[in-house]
Amino acid sequence: VNNTEINTRIGWYSSLVTTGTEDAAVAEEDHATEKQDGGWNEATPFPFIQGTDCCGRIAAVAPDGDQSTIGSRVLVRACIRKSGFDAIDNIWMGSDFDGAFAQFVKVSARELFPVDCDWSDAELATIPCAYGTAENMVHRSKVCKNETVLVTGASGGVGSAVMQLVKRRGASVTAIAAKKKMEQVLSIGADNVIDRCEDLVSRLGENSVDVIVDNVAGPAFESLLKVLKPGGRYVSSGAIGGPLVTLDMRTFYLKDLKLIGCTSWDEPVFPNLISYIERGELQPLVAKIFPLEQIADAQKEFLEKKHVGNFVLIPPSVDD
């Protein structure tokens, strides 16, 4: 379960929506309206099956496919660069075509990655969207050894993945999280944790961090840029705290900052993740498991943001 699926369902990507995911979801319950521009890339192709994260085994292949792969345990790369990696256009499983909230899903064979590890299916299911998004941001922002990285929303699926991926590169992590989650965030690997209610500039000081990985945005955006060092990098793939922000252009250009948007995954991202898993360099963070039929309950509880890590949905077995 992730924010993307909720955002797609409620049409959050529409320019008509100006609030964060949680507020937009509440408004949708109160007054559901169709938003023609609410899809990730194009109009959402309702009705369809959502589900961006998928762990499973190959059950069948096309007539000209490799029959020897049947039975292989795989992860599905959810971000598909349909024109190749030299072009930026992309489509996503569970947003642009039927996804993994089902017993079977059909994808191109080139998006399947065999994985050899002793993780449970629930643990592997936490990887594709959250860790793929996180690795893409860390890769594209070129996080280096001994740098200081500030991570917002550190208790969430993407934030907790970012922390692990930053640490394996030898950088230090300052995390922002709710006060009641600070101890858990430290246990995941953060070097320092800041209460999200604290004044960021007063706590850290201006020009104090090399990279900011931010999927929250909202009112804190201006403070985030103030704590970036001159020449620093700000990278984002979301805005759960609110998509509209205040930007002082002088802060941006006088400090020679780099603002990096991340949706399309770069080619090394998913192979990197598979190698990290197989070398034991990542920790799966399963907060709670739900049966697929309880998806509505899972999404409601997800929006309460009381958990650390990921919620996982398990479909019924094909024999049920």
Side-chain angles (χ1 to χ4, degrees):
V1 178
N2 56 59
N3 282 297
T4 292
E5 291 147 359
I6 297 172
N7 289 339
T8 298
R9 176 173 59 78
I10 66 176
W12 182 84
Y13 297 103
S14 169
S15 58
L16 298 174
V17 179
T18 60
T19 58
T21 299
E22 184 176 349
D23 290 338
V26 171
E28 187 71 12
E29 287 184 4
D30 294 339
H31 184 64
T33 56
E34 184 176 351
K35 303 176 182 68
Q36 293 298 323
D37 64 339
W40 194 325
N41 293 296
E42 301 173 354
T44 304
F46 291 123
F48 77 115
I49 300 169
Q50 289 198 278
T52 309
D53 295 282
C54 184
C55 158
R57 293 188 180 273
I58 298 176
V61 297
D64 59 346
D66 183 355
Q67 298 290 325
S68 69
T69 63
I70 293 176
S72 299
R73 195 179 193 209
V74 295
L75 284 176
V76 178
R77 179 167 57 190
C79 177
I80 297 169
R81 301 286 285 270
K82 59 182 181 179
S83 300
F85 287 94
D86 292 330
I88 204 70
D89 59 312
N90 60 97
I91 57 174
W92 285 72
M93 183 175 75
S95 285
D96 297 304
F97 63 94
D98 284 344
F101 291 164
Q103 292 169 310
F104 294 93
V105 62
K106 182 176 70 173
V107 295
S108 170
R110 67 176 177 269
E111 308 304 334
L112 301 180
F113 288 76
V115 57
D116 182 13
C117 68
D118 60 1
W119 291 15
S120 68
D121 286 349
E123 289 172 330
L124 272 176
T126 66
I127 292 296
C129 187
Y131 285 74
T133 298
E135 173 70 6
N136 196 44
M137 290 191 288
V138 173
H139 167 79
R140 199 174 286 183
S141 60
K142 297 180 171 62
V143 172
C144 298
K145 186 177 181 179
N146 297 325
E147 287 192 311
T148 300
V149 181
L150 180 65
V151 181
T152 67
S155 64
V158 174
S160 57
V162 167
M163 287 194 295
Q164 295 185 58
L165 293 164
V166 165
K167 293 292 290 184
R168 70 165 301 282
R169 282 169 168 77
S172 65
V173 172
T174 296
I176 300 176
K179 188 172 184 178
K180 60 186 177 182
K181 300 178 182 178
M182 291 172 68
E183 287 189 14
Q184 286 177 280
V185 169
L186 281 170
S187 71
I188 297 169
D191 298 286
N192 302 287
V193 184
I194 299 173
D195 185 340
R196 67 182 182 187
C197 296
E198 286 191 64
D199 182 283
L200 196 59
V201 178
S202 297
R203 174 66 185 274
L204 294 178
E206 294 191 25
N207 305 328
S208 56
V209 301
D210 298 290
V211 181
I212 293 175
V213 183
D214 174 39
N215 271 12
V216 176
F221 178 80
E222 193 168 16
S223 295
L224 292 173
L225 296 195
K226 287 182 179 179
V227 302
L228 267 180
K229 294 177 181 179
R233 292 98 74 197
Y234 169 96
V235 60
S236 176
S237 64
I240 62 173
L244 302 187
V245 299
T246 299
L247 169 62
D248 186 330
M249 286 297 294
R250 293 164 296 188
T251 303
F252 170 53
Y253 74 79
L254 290 174
K255 293 175 68 172
D256 291 288
L257 301 179
K258 295 180 176 67
L259 304 185
I260 306 166
C262 282
T263 294
S264 298
W265 293 352
D266 293 337
E267 188 170 11
V269 165
F270 221 71
N272 283 353
L273 290 175
I274 299 298
S275 69
Y276 304 158
I277 294 168
E278 294 184 337
R279 294 200 300 263
E281 296 177 357
L282 295 180
Q283 174 188 358
L285 299 172
V286 180
K288 192 170 181 178
I289 297 173
F290 296 80
L292 180 58
E293 60 266 26
Q294 293 180 14
I295 180 174
D297 294 332
Q299 288 194 343
K300 287 178 181 178
E301 188 171 335
F302 179 91
L303 284 171
E304 293 174 2
K305 302 297 181 183
K306 295 179 180 178
H307 62 288
V308 174
N310 299 269
F311 283 1
V312 176
L313 293 167
I314 303 292
S317 72
V318 293
D319 297 325
D320 289 350

